Amino acid sequence: MTALVGGIEAGGTKFVVGIGTAEGGSRVTARIATTGPDETIAAALAFFREHDAALPVTAIGIAGFGPLDLDPRSPTYGHVLATPKPGWPGTDLRGRIAAGAGVPVGIETDVNAAALAEARAAGDLADLAYVTVGTGIGVGLVVAGRPVHGAGHPELGHVRPRRHPAHEGFAGICPYHGDCLEGLASGPAIKAAWGVALDALASDHPAHGAVADYLAQLCATLLLAVAPAKIVIGGGVMGDGHLLPVIRARTSALIADYLPQTGPDALETRIAAPACREPSGLIGAYLVAQGVR
Amino acid sequence: MTALVGGIEAGGTKFVVGIGTAEGGSRVTARIATTGPDETIAAALAFFREHDAALPVTAIGIAGFGPLDLDPRSPTYGHVLATPKPGWPGTDLRGRIAAGAGVPVGIETDVNAAALAEARAAGDLADLAYVTVGTGIGVGLVVAGRPVHGAGHPELGHVRPRRHPAHEGFAGICPYHGDCLEGLASGPAIKAAWGVALDALASDHPAHGAVADYLAQLCATLLLAVAPAKIVIGGGVMGDGHLLPVIRARTSALIADYLPQTGPDALETRIAAPACREPSGLIGAYLVAQGVR
């Protein structure tokens, strides 16, 4: 039996903390509102202390909002880098959890941790992309079994899709790029363009087709760039999954039989909703903990 | 001293064969026109046989035109997959070279081999993208020190950039996608749109800006997707490199300070011409050979 580990899904609005294993899921979880780093980190540590007698953990994994320094050779490894969240820039998130909990602590981006969890859930796939469409659009990538960091931090949610005709005249809301993918198809972008959330619009409203088209362009770019065996798309905007068939059909049309396994039948399983029963990020945090030496 | 190895840069119009090492370069090379597989493979084997007494090789690396089966667990590992080149689909390129030469043979795509060679030339970078802009547009990716294969074969040259205003009304020439990157900015696409090659157009012709814009969109996508430490751009269309400053400036504007190390100064070295003195693909083939067990 795998030893229990701790997981922290460190998000911008809340921290989800839990104790369990990637294989067995959570034994206990809690939610902590994300305020300043001192208060939030203290609350996370208190959770593990509270359960230490009954559910001791051998390691903790953090799936954190970015940008994070994930270069183990860097003097600021595990620190939060520049972020608009007050108080957080420069916070030694990994070091402070490790010092407080007294166990080894691993750290990964939230989207990469989710990608690791979904890759495991899909049968240990070596190549998988995880896309979350909510307040922002984040993409995690596992290539050849390992999360992709590159030299810096990839942020594929800010790629620029071709504009959809139903969206003409909308400038996009990304403060950096205007009409990048996040500026066009995130939850706040949908509200800015059409006044309400996607699930509040009639099923024949053109917004559905536009958002699906933008996400299909992202899927096509992912298939052309790193050919993941599976693309998992989750997040609040995806709701009940009604966009998935449209995204699959449009992605297949964009690839136009140029790559293997991109016909409508293949994409039926290759582009899918998350398979993890618990939030992929928390299961990913357990995986990160289980990989800590 | 590293033992001599053989390299085969297997291209669609010619095979370049050589004997040397990645560190020391070529001792001897030859060019073979690409005809049918029997004739071309026989000529390549004859080259190594001719030099076997004076320059014996311990292994051979192939940097091949795609698509190739690069899954070592596949029964058709090292075979050429579907390609319009007559006679080549299904050819066991790796197996036939290995059987004829009697040494271990490794195989990689031409663009990934070139990326490996450029990563080595840049000081053993772990993350590098190699882009070649010529008859087609090919992209090789090294992530965390290893060439990216994914589940299938990535072909980022077929991503769809936003259209440049100077190019309105041009449908693009890709038989699959029309106005994908290769359909807009490859050598044949430039000739189809403007009648001549890029270097035959006056320096103030809008074609330069349009092609640079399309390639900058590719660079931005690469930085956002996998954050390579360096993007190397070569190939016939790049000519004397006059597009590079325009590509750098446009890429920096597209990223808009959203990622670290994407300002104009950083991109001065991060987006660059090939550094290998010999064709990157042939040096990459030597590297592949040197890695064969």
Side-chain angles (χ1 to χ4, degrees), chain A residues 112-155:
Chain A
N112 274 350
L116 286 168
E118 289 293 334
R120 188 190 162 282
D124 287 320
L125 292 179
D127 299 279
L128 182 138
Y130 174 85
V131 180
T132 175
V133 190
T135 310
I137 296 184
V139 180
L141 277 183
V142 172
V143 167
R146 297 188 293 185
V148 172
H149 300 145
H153 53 104
E155 288 280 359

Side-chain angles (χ1 to χ4, degrees), chain B residues 107-119:
Chain B
I107 189 164
E108 187 46 80
T109 64
D110 45 8
V111 284
N112 274 351
L116 286 169
E118 289 293 334

Side-chain angles (χ1 to χ4, degrees), chain A residues 127 141 143-163 174 176-177 179-182 184 217 220-221 223-229 253-261 270, chain B residues 127 141 143-163 174 176-177 179-182 184 217 220-221 223-229 253-261 270:
Chain A
D127 299 279
L141 277 183
V143 167
R146 297 188 293 185
V148 172
H149 300 145
H153 53 104
E155 288 280 359
L156 200 48
H158 289 262
V159 77
R160 294 169 196 248
R162 286 188 181 174
R163 295 298 302 267
C174 175
Y176 292 87
H177 309 118
D179 63 351
C180 67
L181 181 63
E182 180 167 304
L184 292 171
Q217 292 188 58
T221 297
L223 292 167
L224 290 163
V226 292
L254 285 168
I255 300 290
D257 286 330
Y258 187 70
L259 300 179
Q261 300 295 312
R270 199 169 179 190
Chain B
D127 299 278
L141 277 184
V143 167
R146 297 189 293 185
V148 172
H149 301 146
H153 52 104
E155 289 280 359
L156 200 49
H158 290 262
V159 76
R160 294 171 197 247
R162 285 188 181 174
R163 295 298 301 267
C174 175
Y176 292 88
H177 308 119
D179 64 350
C180 68
L181 181 63
E182 180 167 304
L184 291 171
Q217 292 188 58
T221 297
L223 292 167
L224 290 162
V226 293
L254 285 168
I255 300 290
D257 286 330
Y258 187 71
L259 300 179
Q261 299 295 313
R270 199 171 179 187

Side-chain angles (χ1 to χ4, degrees), chain B residues 49-67:
Chain B
R49 204 173 305 118
E50 179 191 342
H51 294 283
D52 189 46
L55 302 169
V57 302
T58 57
I60 293 174
I62 302 172
F65 65 81

Side-chain angles (χ1 to χ4, degrees), chain A residues 54-130:
Chain A
L55 301 169
V57 302
T58 57
I60 292 174
I62 302 172
F65 65 81
L68 298 167
D69 184 340
L70 296 173
D71 178 356
R73 297 160 304 182
S74 164
T76 55
Y77 172 60
H79 290 220
V80 179
L81 300 175
T83 168
K85 293 180 218 311
W88 286 93
T91 296
D92 180 8
L93 182 55
R94 194 196 73 89
R96 288 172 69 174
I97 295 289
V103 294
V105 174
I107 189 164
E108 188 46 80
T109 64
D110 45 8
V111 284
N112 274 350
L116 286 168
E118 289 293 334
R120 188 190 162 282
D124 287 320
L125 292 179
D127 299 279
L128 182 138
Y130 174 85

